[in-house]
Structures are given as structure tokens and as C-alpha cells.
Amino acid sequence: MSECASEVPRRASNDLCVYLAALKRQGRIKAEFDPKTAASMLMGTIFADAMGRDMMPDIYPPEKKAAEMYTQLLLRALGVENSSHKATNKQTKRSKQLSA
């Protein structure tokens, strides 16, 4: 049962690792980092938000902006330039191109 339940999160984590590695290959990330660590940090943050928001809404960013804010913070931490809203949208559109 756990294998089945973990299939989608594993795929998402793998896809995120591929995406972050592609950013590194293209020179958009200058810092040394482990893609698995970065992916698990972002996914763990999103999971904690999903599990805790109902009980403690005051400790989380606005719900409609949370995922974007977490992603921007990760990208800035990795040194991706222009990780503003506009750049994040461009990266989202290009994510399939980068991972190819």
C-alpha cells in the first residue's frame, strides 16, 4: 500500500530533481547543491503547509501565494537570478524544455 501511495510524490520529487539539475547544467544555478536535498526541502515545506494550515493558519503565508513564495525562496537560496514572479512563470513554461 505504501508503494502505491508514494508513487506520485516520488515522481514529483524526481521531476523536480531533473528540473533543478537542468538549471545547474545551463548555468542558471551557480551554487553547489544536492538536487534531492533541495527537492525534499520544497516538498516537505509544501506538505507541512498542507497538513498544518487548518490548525495554525497564522504561521503560513497567504494560501493563494504560498506555493509560489516557497518556490521563489528555494530558487533564491540556490542563487537563481530573476527568481521573481515573472521569472518563475517563465521557468514554469520552460520546465519541459530544460529537462530534455
Side-chain angles (χ1 to χ4, degrees):
M1 180 135 164
S2 65
E3 187 70 30
C4 182
S6 67
E7 182 181 340
V8 172
R10 284 177 191 258
R11 192 173 335 125
S13 178
N14 289 337
D15 289 349
L16 183 53
C17 287
V18 167
Y19 175 72
L20 292 171
L23 289 176
K24 177 72 173 166
R25 274 193 318 276
Q26 291 188 349
R28 304 231 14 231
I29 296 176
K30 307 289 187 213
E32 290 300 318
F33 74 102
D34 174 46
K36 283 186 179 182
T37 302
S40 67
M41 187 177 75
L42 179 59
M43 291 181 65
T45 299
I46 292 169
F47 182 78
D49 185 310
M51 297 303 291
R53 182 175 291 276
D54 286 343
M55 292 184 297
M56 303 171 288
D58 54 309
I59 70 167
Y60 295 98
E63 186 172 7
K64 291 183 180 184
K65 294 182 177 183
E68 180 181 339
M69 292 171 75
Y70 296 144
T71 303
Q72 286 179 0
L73 184 59
L74 173 66
L75 293 173
R76 280 196 307 269
L78 293 174
V80 175
E81 293 183 23
N82 300 322
S83 62
S84 67
H85 174 69
K86 187 175 182 181
T88 302
N89 286 339
K90 287 180 184 176
Q91 290 165 356
T92 301
K93 290 176 185 176
R94 292 183 40 201
S95 66
K96 289 186 182 181
Q97 295 170 343
L98 291 173
S99 63

